[in-house]
Amino acid sequence: MQTSDKPPVRRTRAGVFGLAALAVVLATACTPAGRDDATGATAANATSAAPPVDAPPVGVSNVGAPNLEAPNVEASAVPGASRPSSATTTPAPVETSPESAPGTPSDTIGGDGSPIQLDALTAADVSGAALSGELACSFTGGDGAPLLQAMGIVASREPAQGVVKVAGHVEPVRTPGGFDAMTRDPVFTGQGKTIRIVQTGTALGGGESPARPATLTYQRADGASRTFAGRWQCGP
């Protein structure tokens, strides 16, 4: 009597297929849970690693953070712009020549260092001096202001009398020989002073008493001197 082995084989295959199906079911059921755990772990790690909101991330500087301090005016100035200088500028003094301003104390030589200053004579200065004589002579500076005024008598040995205004003070001077002597480079003297008139050119015009170019040199007793350029004129 022969025995067949096929039925046991069928049972074995059915058992194998059943175990395989059970393994698939178990794997499917476990897979979502594993993924959820991994996702949860990742989220937890991300939450714990995230920096606080008010603190800058590690390794990142706060260059872009807004500056809440008051702005520095000098630091925000336009590059290359020049800053205003606090130094004050002193205006240069206006220089005048002796001819244009005969009373300025410039060009004094020697002496104790103090300047020689001759001021222009006024009509009141001349009338107040009460000069006596018939004809007059005068020296005028470059601006036409009289610096010396004198009067004398024609053909007389009486000294001619004159006046000058030294630093605002009217002072008397005189020269010997009367009016005639004043027409030939006269030398006047006074207290602490000597004044020399030197004619340097021919008459500047016609008429009875034309003016001539001349210099007036004021010499002080301490050795100081100053020369003025102008005109010397004598006549009625």
Side-chain angles (χ1 to χ4, degrees):
M1 182 175 178
Q2 297 180 353
T3 303
S4 178
D5 295 331
K6 291 180 181 181
V9 172
R10 289 175 183 173
R11 288 193 300 267
T12 302
R13 290 180 178 176
V16 172
F17 288 143
L19 292 175
L22 180 61
V24 171
V25 172
L26 292 175
T28 303
C30 295
T31 299
R35 289 179 180 176
D36 291 340
D37 294 340
T39 303
T42 302
N45 292 336
T47 303
S48 61
V53 176
D54 56 348
V58 177
V60 180
S61 63
N62 59 350
V63 174
N67 186 7
L68 300 180
E69 297 180 357
N72 190 341
V73 177
E74 293 185 358
S76 61
V78 179
S82 60
R83 297 180 180 179
S85 176
S86 60
T88 58
T89 304
T90 304
V94 179
E95 297 182 359
T96 56
S97 63
E99 295 186 5
S100 60
T104 55
S106 61
D107 300 333
T108 301
I109 302 173
D112 61 1
S114 60
I116 294 174
Q117 178 177 336
L118 288 184
D119 298 328
L121 291 166
T122 65
D125 295 333
V126 176
S127 61
L131 301 176
S132 61
E134 299 173 341
L135 299 175
C137 292
S138 65
F139 181 89
T140 57
D143 61 348
L147 301 182
L148 185 151
Q149 186 82 18
M151 294 190 69
I153 300 172
V154 177
S156 173
R157 298 178 64 91
E158 291 292 327
Q161 301 175 0
V163 288
V164 290
K165 194 172 186 178
V166 183
H169 301 281
V170 178
E171 300 178 0
V173 293
R174 60 176 57 197
T175 185
F179 174 80
D180 297 337
M182 290 195 298
T183 62
R184 299 183 299 270
D185 295 344
V187 177
F188 294 87
T189 58
Q191 184 176 3
K193 68 179 71 62
T194 299
I195 300 175
R196 299 178 182 274
I197 303 295
V198 177
Q199 301 177 63
T200 58
T202 59
L204 299 176
E208 184 178 359
S209 55
R212 295 175 183 271
T215 59
L216 181 155
T217 301
Y218 186 105
Q219 296 174 320
R220 203 164 56 196
D222 65 352
S225 66
R226 181 184 175 190
T227 299
F228 300 83
R231 297 180 180 184
W232 182 248
Q233 186 175 12
C234 294

